[in-house]
Amino acid sequence: MRKRLHGAVGLLAVGGLLGTFVPPAGAEETGRNRLAERLREAMNEVRFQEVLDTAPPGSATARTFAGTVDKEARGLQRPAMVADPRPIVQQPQVDATVIELDSRGRPRSSGTVLMSPLYKDGVIVPVDRDYSTESVRWRQWDDAGWYANRGQGTIDVIPGRENAPIDHMLAYPASVLKLMVAFGVLRLVDQGVVGLDDTYEYRPAEPSLLCGEATAKPVRRYLDESLTWSSNAASCALIKLLHDHGGIDPLNRAFSDLGLRTLRLRGTRPSNGGRWSNEITMSSLDTAKLLLLVGGGPGTLWTAPDGTPVTRNVLSPASRRFFADTLAQQGFNDMLSNTNRCGAAYPAQGIPQRTPSRWIGADGTVTVNGLWFGHDVRPCDAAAEVTFAHKTGWVGNSGADAGIVRALPGRGGRHYIIVVFSNLGTQYIDPHRPPTPPGVHPVTYTEKFADLARIIDTYEKSRHR
């Protein structure tokens, strides 16, 4: 079936399906173009190319990581402030999607923009009414290839795209991959294979620095630890649980059947759930669609490649509610939002979210799994305008954040999904980044992500008005 292409996405109207959302004639096209163009403008405004590289090509740090296959070898390390960081050698990879939602969680308009050495000013991705695109040749992340091949990549994620007009190497998703893991486990819960309150005995058959020792916990606790404070050990346990029940291949097939063809949880070890390599891929567009399912708007959300209407019933109401509620308890509010560092001159504050209370101590400061952020968040909570149910991720050459923004009552009404993937992980810093005070958790990402998110949030607030 031939698909109509647009600058961003709307919703396929399927006749006879109760609850299908159909925007007013003409409004859909205008909204798509406006949002996609504003996203592209915002990505240029923040000037990602001005960051400094703490492990520039040829440096000792770069040589240490050369040839790394396991991302765990990088993910547990964080470059310190160095004496002579260098300007990044080329335009960074940035993959960003925003989907605007109505009050019930149904999509109204969307925009996806890619930025790279090939597209220094950003390129708007043409996306059809099924939230899909055939206009991009998606490539798997290659650590060395980003320098050698102008960020283009050599391994195709989706076959048969050699003649696509846009060519983009997907940044490694880092811990945002835990969204795929949680989705897979909750599918097993819905199928009756496991229960949230079942105790899973994680017994790794081989040691892993990433995954840690044997544990025994309820499945819901592993999910909570994986999503709220990004426990790698809990996530390894969940991946091994999927392997134990033969759930990895069916999960990847489910993603493909849903039309989420860039979502791939591949290459992990059945023995311990480790080995998180570049074979694991996610695009911002498909990740936003996954969150659209979690958000649970009514009616047909999009149509699968085989013509089947995709609805929120891909997950049960209980699983969707658990997934969304757990994401709303995110501890690391420090990329697209920076409320954990409320009132700091640096980094920028980003999305003005309310900080989940479970992490806030008596003095108003946030501590997540022993990491102290050192700022009283109560003033920001008093002024908060939105909630942000999201998942962050980082390694040295990957920074990622993906979530659902919803306005608090009387605070502007916007409701949208925002996803950003980039190669700008902890390896890259802002030139003006101050030294980290003693005992405080270091700033993880360039503040340019927060700048971008605040521009988009302000835009979405004005759109609602």
Side-chain angles (χ1 to χ4, degrees):
M1 180 176 66
R2 193 174 184 85
K3 296 184 176 182
R4 295 172 54 198
L5 298 179
H6 305 277
V9 305
L11 182 67
L12 182 62
V14 181
L17 290 174
L18 182 63
T20 300
F21 176 58
V22 183
E28 184 184 16
E29 185 73 32
T30 301
R32 277 195 301 265
N33 293 338
R34 185 184 303 141
L35 175 56
E37 185 56 39
R38 187 65 190 105
L39 178 59
R40 191 188 71 83
E41 290 171 355
M43 289 167 65
N44 279 285
E45 286 175 33
V46 302
R47 300 184 63 82
F48 286 109
Q49 68 273 19
E50 293 179 348
V51 298
L52 301 180
D53 189 349
T54 65
S59 68
T61 304
R63 288 193 294 272
T64 299
F65 290 136
T68 297
V69 174
D70 265 339
K71 305 304 287 192
E72 64 191 73
R74 285 188 171 188
L76 299 176
Q77 301 182 49
R78 180 192 297 270
M81 291 289 286
V82 296
D84 188 27
R86 307 288 179 83
I88 192 169
V89 297
Q90 58 190 2
Q91 188 74 24
Q93 304 283 119
V94 185
D95 171 10
T97 290
V98 177
I99 298 180
E100 294 177 334
L101 308 173
D102 69 11
S103 60
R104 300 179 66 191
R106 302 176 298 186
R108 299 194 307 175
S109 61
S110 169
T112 296
V113 176
L114 304 174
M115 182 175 279
S116 71
L118 293 176
Y119 311 107
K120 295 181 180 180
D121 297 323
V123 59
I124 293 173
V125 175
V127 183
D128 65 30
R129 288 174 173 260
D130 293 326
Y131 290 67
S132 182
T133 182
E134 296 180 0
S135 297
V136 183
R137 183 179 186 181
W138 300 110
R139 313 274 197 128
Q140 180 178 300
W141 177 257
D142 179 352
D143 297 79
W146 186 73
Y147 295 101
N149 199 30
R150 295 183 62 218
Q152 195 167 352
T154 57
I155 300 175
D156 286 298
V157 174
I158 301 173
R161 295 284 183 86
E162 292 80 7
N163 296 320
I166 301 172
D167 197 324
H168 187 79
M169 183 164 66
L170 294 165
Y172 173 71
S175 284
V176 176
L177 67 86
K178 295 165 187 175
L179 293 177
M180 294 194 291
V181 176
F183 179 79
V185 171
L186 289 171
R187 276 169 46 88
L188 293 184
V189 171
D190 287 346
Q191 293 161 9
V193 177
V194 299
L196 283 176
D197 294 313
D198 291 350
T199 295
Y200 176 62
E201 294 191 3
Y202 172 64
R203 299 290 182 262
E206 59 180 310
S208 165
L209 180 64
L210 179 76
C211 298
E213 303 297 325
T215 52
K217 301 176 184 179
V219 172
R220 72 168 65 245
R221 182 172 171 186
Y222 283 123
L223 285 165
D224 179 87
E225 293 176 358
S226 173
L227 294 176
T228 67
W229 58 269
S230 207
S231 168
N232 290 333
S235 304
C236 286
L238 294 171
I239 293 172
K240 188 174 187 303
L241 182 152
L242 286 167
H243 278 293
D244 290 351
H245 292 283
I248 295 291
D249 288 342
L251 174 61
N252 286 321
R253 284 197 298 271
F255 286 140
S256 182
D257 290 345
L258 289 168
L260 310 178
R261 298 185 67 191
T262 66
L263 301 191
R264 307 187 311 174
L265 186 65
R266 295 186 177 179
T268 58
R269 293 190 179 99
S271 60
N272 58 18
R275 192 182 185 276
W276 302 354
S277 71
N278 289 329
E279 293 177 67
I280 299 173
T281 62
M282 303 177 79
S283 68
S284 71
L285 178 58
D286 284 350
T287 303
K289 290 170 72 174
L290 183 63
L291 289 171
L292 189 58
L293 292 174
V294 176
T300 300
L301 299 176
W302 70 86
T303 300
D306 67 357
T308 302
V310 177
T311 73
R312 61 189 179 186
N313 295 326
V314 169
L315 289 176
S316 70
S319 287
R320 288 198 315 273
R321 184 165 52 251
F322 175 83
F323 205 158
D325 289 350
T326 306
L327 289 176
Q329 295 299 310
Q330 176 60 237
F332 288 103
N333 305 296
D334 62 347
M335 181 175 159
L336 296 180
S337 62
N338 265 316
T339 52
N340 281 12
R341 305 180 195 276
C342 176
Y346 177 93
Q349 295 296 282
I351 294 171
Q353 72 162 100
R354 182 170 59 195
T355 305
S357 60
R358 68 185 278 187
W359 312 108
I360 303 173
D363 63 352
T365 63
V366 167
T367 302
V368 183
N369 192 36
L371 303 175
W372 184 56
F373 285 81
H375 288 266
D376 187 345
V377 304
R378 290 172 293 188
C380 289
D381 275 0
E385 298 183 15
V386 301
T387 60
F388 188 26
H390 65 121
K391 182 72 194 77
T392 57
W394 59 265
V395 295
N397 60 355
S398 174
D401 201 351
I404 305 170
V405 176
R406 182 189 288 271
L408 292 166
R411 296 298 178 94
R414 66 273 208 195
H415 189 197
Y416 62 94
I417 294 169
I418 183 168
V419 181
V420 178
F421 290 119
S422 176
N423 69 311
L424 297 181
T426 57
Q427 179 177 326
Y428 301 94
I429 62 174
D430 296 309
H432 54 282
R433 190 179 93 169
T436 302
V440 174
H441 180 54
V443 172
T444 306
Y445 313 89
T446 167
E447 69 172 350
K448 294 181 183 297
F449 292 123
D451 285 332
L452 172 65
R454 191 56 188 259
I455 293 171
I456 295 302
D457 185 71
T458 301
Y459 175 76
E460 289 301 318
K461 184 178 180 180
S462 70
R463 290 265 282 175
H464 180 267
R465 289 174 182 163

